[in-house]
Amino acid sequence: MVRAKSWTLKKHFEGFPKTSDLELKEVELPKLKDGDVLFESVFLSVDPYMRPYSRIYMKEGDIMIGSQVARVVESKNPTYPVGTYVVANSGWTTHFISDGKDLRLLPPWPENIPRSLALGTIGMPGLTAYFGLFEICKIRAGDTVLVTAAAGAVGSVVGQIAKIGGCKVVGCAGSDKKVAYLKQIGFDEAFNYKTVGSLEEALKKASPDGYDCYFDNVGGEFSSIVLNQMKKFGRIAVCGAISGYNDTVPQKGPYVQIPMIFKELYMEGFIVSRWNDRREEALKILLRWVVEGKIKCEEHVTEGFEKMPAAFMGLLKGENLGKAIIKV
């Protein structure tokens, strides 16, 4: 019999997550019934969305939400023979049984491309960048695009897709190492928001004429400053608000009405599942860009399932460069 280890939400997070908020449990999985498949997680994902989603969609005692690349180890379902790889949303667990629904088979995968990228650039974060840019920002060649959390799983792809689309790209990140990485992957301008004397001056220096598009991953005070530097009819994709995910008291502002009115800005929040009907088409494009070298991928890999809470907390502190992955 197979025993599955799982990280569960012992207590809802209050402020920044603590190790004691999570509990490692182990259970024996039942024998397979006809149509069932036993999966072993190979790579697991930690992502910023897990922090707010855990409060909205989870109750205490549930397995932490999340996705994985998993391999079939036993099967009574002809669609999923042993050795098949899938992307699943079965949470922080080493093994799980599925009836085969709500799984995504990995397409034919180039040998030189890590399968973990199906959780990153060729997965949900990449799709978030792709649809946020093309459907919300509606980028055009010659646009100036600003992206925050630019060295993260989403932001780094946003910048590279915008370059493919003929845009000037400005990124901000929280360390000099990350700024150097952004320039390495083709960002035109990048700065460390923690060390600049003035965010307003840093933004003006990077693009004196302002910004056509803003891909917002952080929210908070930074975004209120950006709004005043948008060009007329600028477009803003609100993807995340990591600056406020751990707040116990809501932040004040930003007060958006004045710049929204007088600059006639377009701002829209989005969740990437809106475009699930176009997922496969977009994933093929992202995979092709990776294979062609047009998008470079960086992963922050933590080895060991037991280290998932530490990896999650490190992500929320901004310790990762690129996509945060756990290798089981």
Side-chain angles (χ1 to χ4, degrees):
M1 302 294 288
V2 173
R3 297 188 67 82
K5 294 179 181 179
S6 302
W7 282 105
T8 62
L9 183 67
K10 184 177 181 180
K11 183 178 180 296
H12 275 294
F13 305 124
E14 296 291 342
F16 195 85
K18 302 182 292 295
T19 304
S20 58
D21 295 330
L22 299 162
E23 184 176 12
L24 183 61
K25 292 186 176 180
E26 189 170 336
V27 298
E28 190 172 281
L29 297 179
K31 291 183 179 179
L32 298 187
K33 304 188 298 288
D34 285 345
D36 282 350
V37 189
L38 173 64
F39 289 95
E40 174 183 64
S41 296
V42 180
F43 299 104
L44 291 140
S45 179
V46 286
D47 300 279
Y49 79 83
M50 295 171 177
R51 174 62 181 85
Y53 272 49
S54 66
R55 173 65 70 177
I56 299 168
Y57 297 110
M58 293 181 64
K59 61 183 185 295
E60 291 176 354
D62 286 350
I63 294 175
M64 271 296 292
I65 55 173
S67 55
Q68 60 263 94
V69 171
R71 178 176 54 229
V72 177
V73 292
E74 185 182 347
S75 179
K76 291 192 174 182
N77 185 323
T79 305
Y80 300 96
V82 171
T84 301
Y85 285 86
V86 302
V87 174
N89 295 295
S90 293
W92 295 14
T93 188
T94 58
H95 298 80
F96 60 95
I97 292 172
S98 170
D99 61 5
K101 297 175 182 176
D102 300 320
L103 299 173
R104 185 173 68 84
L105 281 165
L106 247 62
W109 206 259
E111 287 186 11
N112 62 331
I113 303 294
R115 289 188 177 91
S116 53
L117 292 188
L119 300 174
T121 303
I122 315 169
M124 181 274 290
L127 292 169
T128 301
Y130 182 91
F131 288 114
L133 278 176
F134 289 120
E135 298 298 326
I136 309 295
C137 287
K138 300 185 185 299
I139 58 168
R140 301 183 288 261
D143 281 347
T144 299
V145 177
L146 173 66
V147 54
T148 48
V154 174
S156 59
V157 182
V158 168
Q160 293 180 86
I161 293 177
K163 289 302 296 179
I164 292 170
C167 302
K168 174 184 176 180
V169 180
V170 177
C172 69
S175 74
D176 292 342
K177 178 182 178 182
K178 290 180 178 181
V179 169
Y181 169 69
L182 295 179
K183 292 180 178 177
Q184 178 187 327
I185 62 174
F187 280 62
D188 297 284
E189 301 286 344
F191 63 88
N192 181 349
Y193 71 90
K194 292 182 179 179
T195 58
V196 294
S198 162
L199 286 175
E200 186 173 3
E201 289 304 315
L203 289 165
K204 285 181 178 177
K205 181 180 178 182
S207 181
D209 296 331
Y211 298 89
D212 300 283
C213 301
Y214 173 36
F215 199 105
D216 184 9
N217 288 310
V218 301
E221 180 186 2
F222 191 102
S223 291
S224 63
I225 293 171
V226 171
L227 289 179
N228 290 302
Q229 299 201 31
M230 296 297 294
K231 294 182 183 179
K232 191 89 168 177
F233 306 113
R235 291 92 66 200
I236 302 162
V238 183
C239 174
I242 195 170
S243 69
Y245 286 166
N246 297 304
D247 289 350
T248 53
V249 178
Q251 297 177 8
K252 291 184 178 180
Y255 301 104
V256 302
Q257 288 84 354
I258 297 300
M260 287 286 291
I261 293 167
F262 289 100
K263 291 177 180 286
E264 299 185 71
L265 303 177
Y266 174 86
M267 176 189 287
E268 183 175 350
F270 72 99
I271 296 172
V272 69
S273 55
R274 184 194 309 185
W275 297 282
N276 273 351
D277 60 329
R278 294 167 55 192
R279 163 191 284 267
E280 298 308 317
E281 164 201 348
L283 288 173
K284 287 178 183 176
I285 294 170
L286 290 166
L287 176 58
R288 186 180 79 239
W289 283 339
V290 171
V291 170
E292 292 173 350
K294 293 179 178 178
I295 295 181
K296 298 175 177 63
C297 309
E298 186 71 27
E299 293 182 307
H300 186 100
V301 180
T302 300
E303 297 210 12
F305 181 74
E306 287 74 14
K307 296 179 182 177
M308 280 203 78
F312 178 52
M313 287 180 266
L315 169 79
L316 295 176
K317 291 177 183 175
E319 293 175 357
N320 61 299
L321 179 64
K323 179 71 184 82
I325 293 290
I326 287 74
K327 184 177 180 181
V328 181

